[in-house]
């Protein structure tokens, strides 16, 4: 045994980086909304970066641990409490048997991740542990976690065990944490960088200008499949019908009502709406954590800038990998 | 790689301030780390600090030890890193001038390798002065705060 779901909350699922490679058969990729948080969480507990975690949406999820474990909580600040006390995020934490972690609310962001040393023992379906609830595949029995579900945990690797041993002695968490602010903006108004989409030129000059300069508000019609925004209407100069073609995470579609929809993790594999833009990979985690009713601004950047942003992000992740590894190796996990 | 070349590399490294070296040459990979980095840092930098600050501010030399006026002490840095007074950019600062700190309270964070390391006070007292600026790169043992020790 490893842990038991006390309360499922709004929506909690097992997710890894997604079910890739089968889109040609119409299989949805799915996976985490915020891949960066998943990867960092796994680095903190020394799992493979694509190991599955529990993705908690908004609040209410409560989990009781039936053994001693090392976990890390990353992603949005959903105010995780351990036995009633706020528990720090973005660092490894030693959890004692029969402790309960509860997510109280949405201080910042929408999705938090619980990574656990050893990972979750759920079967791989088409090379992924991700839950895709609409099709009922992957994760725990193909569905969102529910009350009294019991999840088995894999055996942690050597370094995780070393972390566990060190943290076993109090304090239960180290004095250091990942500088997450370097990845996620802090202000209320987020800038989301995009590339021009394949149908960008079909939109009127005015719509092109509005898209790049006006604020867009995330509506409550936002889920793991897509985020619908409200703001200045985007119109094509000469409305044309398109054949459906491949879409991906971050594709900005504009349906006939002129309000943009951004496709997220559980997106369909193809789409027929004109694509005004494509969110750059480096800004997808930031986008995933935008709360409904929050405003964003889209900024059009070049492919070069998009690549640079991604390389910079990957460099930072490499630094974190080395930093955590050194802390674990030198016994400096508590320093 | 020839043993003589390896020996030469190690000798060169030993004479520098470099603590960790990684070399890759085709199939050959070398990872070299000096014995107990923290210890050697402590020795070398403490020495540097002593020399560097002797003329300017004699109290800095006494880092970690009570000063001549033993009602005033300094909190020194336990590591190398970039200094931030806030846990995250839009948060309240850990301490300000006039803040009362107790042993074990966090007073700032130092960033190294994208990890923010909380620095805890080892003194009970009142913050009199912040001796460094947000974003400064801090050396091991450098003085961070002047604290008036609680009577």
């Amino acid at each position: 045994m490893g842990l038991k779901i006390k309360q499922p909350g709004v929506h909690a699922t097992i997710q890894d980086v997604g079910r890739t490679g089968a889109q040609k058969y119409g299989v949805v990729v799915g996976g985490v909304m915020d891949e960066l948080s998943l990867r960092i969480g796994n680095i903190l507990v020394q799992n493979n970066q694509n190991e599955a975690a529990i993705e908690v949406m908004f609040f209410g999820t409560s989990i009781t641990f039936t053994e001693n474990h090392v976990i890390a909580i990353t992603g949005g600040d959903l105010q995780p409490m351990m036995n009633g006390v706020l528990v720090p995020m973005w660092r490894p934490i030693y959890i004692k048997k029969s402790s309960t972690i509860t997510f109280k609310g949405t201080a910042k962001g929408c999705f938090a991740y619980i990574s656990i040393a050893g990972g979750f023992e759920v079967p791989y379906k088409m090379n992924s542990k991700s839950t895709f609830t609409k099709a009922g595949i992957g994760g725990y029995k193909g569905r969102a976690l529910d009350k009294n579900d019991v999840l088995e945990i894999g055996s942690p690797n050597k370094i995780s065990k070393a972390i566990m041993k060190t943290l076993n002695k109090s304090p239960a968490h180290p004095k250091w944490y990942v500088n997450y602010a370097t990845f996620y903006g802090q202000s209320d108004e987020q800038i989301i960088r995009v590339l021009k989409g394949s149908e960008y030129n079909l939109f009127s000059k005015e719509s092109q200008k509005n898209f790049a300069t006006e604020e867009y508000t995330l509506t409550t019609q936002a889920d793991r499949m897509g985020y619908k925004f409200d703001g200045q209407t985007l119109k094509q100069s000469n409305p044309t019908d398109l054949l459906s073609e491949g879409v991906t995470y971050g594709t900005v579609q504009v349906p006939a009502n002129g309000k943009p929809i951004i496709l997220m993790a559980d997106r369909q594999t193809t789409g027929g709406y004109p694509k005004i833009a494509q969110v750059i990979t480096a800004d997808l985690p930031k986008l995933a954590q935008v709360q409904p009713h929050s405003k964003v601004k889209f900024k059009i950047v070049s492919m070069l800038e998009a690549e640079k942003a991604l390389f910079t992000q990957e460099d930072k992740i490499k630094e974190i990998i080395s930093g955590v590894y050194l802390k674990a190796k030198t016994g400096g996990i508590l320093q | 790689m020839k043993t003589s070349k390896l020996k030469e590399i190690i000798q060169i490294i030993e004479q520098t301030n470099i603590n960790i070296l990684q070399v890759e040459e085709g199939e050959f990979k070398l990872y070299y780390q000096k014995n107990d980095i923290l210890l050697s840092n402590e020795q070398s930098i403490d020495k540097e600090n002593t020399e560097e600050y002797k003329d300017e501010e004699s109290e800095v030399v006494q880092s970690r030890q009570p000063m001549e006026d033993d009602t005033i002490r300094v909190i020194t840095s336990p590591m190398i890193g970039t200094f931030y007074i806030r846990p995250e950019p839009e948060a309240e600062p850990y301490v300000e001038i006039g803040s009362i700190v107790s042993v074990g309270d966090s007073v700032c964070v130092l960033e190294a390798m994208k990890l923010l390391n909380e620095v805890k006070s080892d003194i009970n007292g009142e913050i009199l002065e912040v001796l460094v600026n947000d974003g400064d790169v801090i050396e091991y043992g450098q003085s961070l705060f002047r604290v008036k020790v609680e009577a």
Side-chain angles (χ1 to χ4, degrees):
Chain A
M1 281 218 290
L3 54 84
K4 192 172 175 179
I5 308 299
K6 210 173 154 195
Q7 289 297 336
V10 177
H11 189 74
T13 50
I14 301 272
Q15 300 292 348
D16 60 12
V17 292
R19 193 165 279 111
T20 51
Q23 282 149 288
K24 60 188 168 190
Y25 307 117
V27 178
V28 164
V29 176
V32 283
M33 291 287 276
D34 175 353
E35 191 178 306
L36 185 70
S37 286
L38 174 83
R39 291 173 64 192
I40 294 175
N42 280 326
I43 292 166
L44 288 170
V45 297
Q46 297 289 304
N47 287 341
N48 285 330
Q49 287 182 39
N50 56 358
E51 178 55 63
I54 296 180
E55 180 179 273
V56 175
M57 186 163 88
F58 299 132
F59 58 88
T61 307
S62 189
I63 297 162
T64 303
F65 293 80
T66 45
E67 300 282 346
N68 299 334
H69 284 292
V70 168
I71 67 161
I73 305 174
T74 56
D77 182 2
L78 307 187
Q79 296 178 292
M81 319 272 280
M82 179 161 51
N83 304 330
V85 181
L86 268 179
V87 52
M89 295 175 58
W90 300 98
R91 63 185 106 195
I93 313 165
Y94 181 73
I95 294 275
K96 278 210 162 124
K97 189 180 168 169
S98 72
S99 299
T100 299
I101 294 232
T102 306
F103 291 84
K104 288 288 278 187
T106 46
K108 252 179 224 158
C110 308
F111 297 95
Y113 296 88
I114 305 172
S115 300
I116 190 159
F120 293 98
E121 289 275 298
V122 295
Y124 281 98
K125 292 282 160 77
M126 302 180 81
N127 296 323
S128 168
K129 292 184 181 178
S130 288
T131 319
F132 181 49
T133 52
K134 278 178 193 152
I137 57 163
Y140 184 82
K141 298 183 178 171
R143 59 166 172 79
L145 296 172
D146 208 348
K147 199 171 176 170
N148 295 330
D149 285 351
V150 172
L151 293 170
E152 303 285 337
I153 306 304
S155 49
N157 65 22
K158 244 176 152 178
I159 308 166
S160 306
K161 279 184 187 154
I163 295 179
M164 208 154 159
K165 244 187 198 161
T166 325
L167 287 180
N168 194 353
K169 302 154 200 154
S170 62
H173 54 78
K175 289 186 286 181
W176 53 268
Y177 55 100
V178 171
N179 183 1
Y180 54 91
T182 180
F183 299 108
Y184 300 88
Q186 287 284 305
S187 298
D188 292 340
E189 190 195 83
Q190 290 276 17
I191 306 283
I192 303 291
R193 289 169 291 180
V194 299
L195 300 171
K196 287 179 185 170
S198 359
E199 283 80 51
Y200 178 81
N201 289 325
L202 296 185
F203 288 87
S204 69
K205 286 276 170 278
E206 197 196 345
S207 291
Q208 289 177 358
K209 186 174 160 258
N210 284 342
F211 178 72
T213 52
E214 296 296 319
E215 283 178 346
Y216 283 85
T217 308
L218 181 57
T219 65
T220 48
Q221 285 176 289
D223 62 10
R224 284 187 38 88
M225 185 178 181
Y227 280 8
K228 281 192 184 175
F229 285 84
D230 201 3
Q232 290 286 334
T233 305
L234 303 170
K235 290 285 172 210
Q236 297 179 61
S237 330
N238 300 300
T240 31
D241 284 330
L242 298 169
L243 287 174
S244 287
E245 56 181 18
V247 289
T248 187
Y249 196 159
T251 302
V252 189
Q253 294 186 327
V254 183
N257 72 2
K259 308 294 183 191
I261 301 174
I262 306 188
L263 300 176
M264 305 300 283
D266 281 352
R267 66 201 170 268
Q268 71 280 13
T269 54
T270 61
Y273 293 128
K275 301 171 282 295
I276 194 169
Q278 170 66 44
V279 177
I280 71 167
T281 307
D283 282 0
L284 290 175
K286 210 198 268 185
L287 172 68
Q289 298 291 0
V290 171
Q291 291 184 346
H293 303 303
S294 301
K295 291 175 170 47
V296 301
K297 261 190 176 174
F298 298 109
K299 186 186 171 201
I300 296 172
V301 298
S302 66
M303 182 65 102
L304 186 70
E305 196 173 328
E307 283 179 355
K308 267 190 189 160
L310 188 59
F311 285 138
T312 310
Q313 195 173 81
E314 290 300 321
D315 284 345
K316 288 177 186 172
I317 292 174
K318 276 183 201 151
E319 272 190 66
I320 295 169
I321 295 171
S322 321
V324 175
Y325 183 78
L326 282 175
K327 296 258 186 211
K329 267 298 216 201
T330 57
I333 203 91
L334 288 176
Q335 281 150 22
Chain B
M1 187 179 280
K2 277 183 189 161
T3 324
S4 60
K5 205 171 164 191
L6 193 64
K7 222 172 167 181
E8 194 185 335
I9 291 177
I10 293 172
Q11 271 167 0
I12 294 168
I13 303 304
E14 283 297 341
Q15 287 158 10
T16 67
N17 289 329
I18 298 166
N19 283 316
I20 297 171
L21 176 83
Q22 204 168 344
V23 182
E24 287 191 28
E25 195 185 283
E27 293 275 299
F28 178 84
K29 286 181 186 172
L30 169 72
Y31 179 81
Y32 183 74
Q33 184 177 335
K34 280 189 191 168
N35 273 339
D36 204 336
I37 293 179
L38 276 179
L39 191 70
S40 61
N41 274 344
E42 194 171 344
Q43 288 162 348
S44 62
I45 295 168
D46 258 1
K47 218 186 285 164
E48 270 175 34
N49 272 356
T50 318
E51 283 157 14
E52 203 177 319
Y53 291 112
K54 208 176 263 169
D55 301 327
E56 300 166 18
E57 253 184 295
S58 59
E59 63 186 37
V60 181
V61 183
Q62 297 283 336
S63 60
R64 282 182 177 269
Q65 269 127 48
M67 291 175 207
E68 284 162 40
D69 176 0
D70 46 295
T71 61
I72 302 201
R73 286 176 60 194
V74 290
I75 299 173
T76 57
S77 170
M79 59 176 287
I80 295 171
T82 309
F83 176 91
Y84 296 106
I85 196 79
R86 292 171 174 80
E88 54 181 270
E90 287 174 12
E92 291 291 309
Y94 283 107
V95 293
E96 288 166 314
I97 291 165
S99 299
I100 306 296
V101 292
S102 306
V103 172
D105 286 354
S106 297
V107 288
C108 64
V109 285
L110 294 171
E111 180 176 27
M113 306 186 97
K114 291 287 171 286
L115 302 179
L116 296 165
N117 300 270
E118 291 169 4
V119 176
K120 309 276 184 186
S121 173
D122 52 354
I123 306 168
N124 292 319
E126 181 190 340
I127 303 283
L128 288 182
E129 196 181 347
V130 185
L131 299 164
V132 289
N133 297 314
D134 230 34
D136 280 0
V137 177
I138 306 298
E139 293 289 349
Y140 174 88
Q142 187 171 340
S143 303
L144 303 174
F145 300 94
R146 251 160 44 92
V147 181
K148 187 173 183 215
V149 180
E150 197 179 68

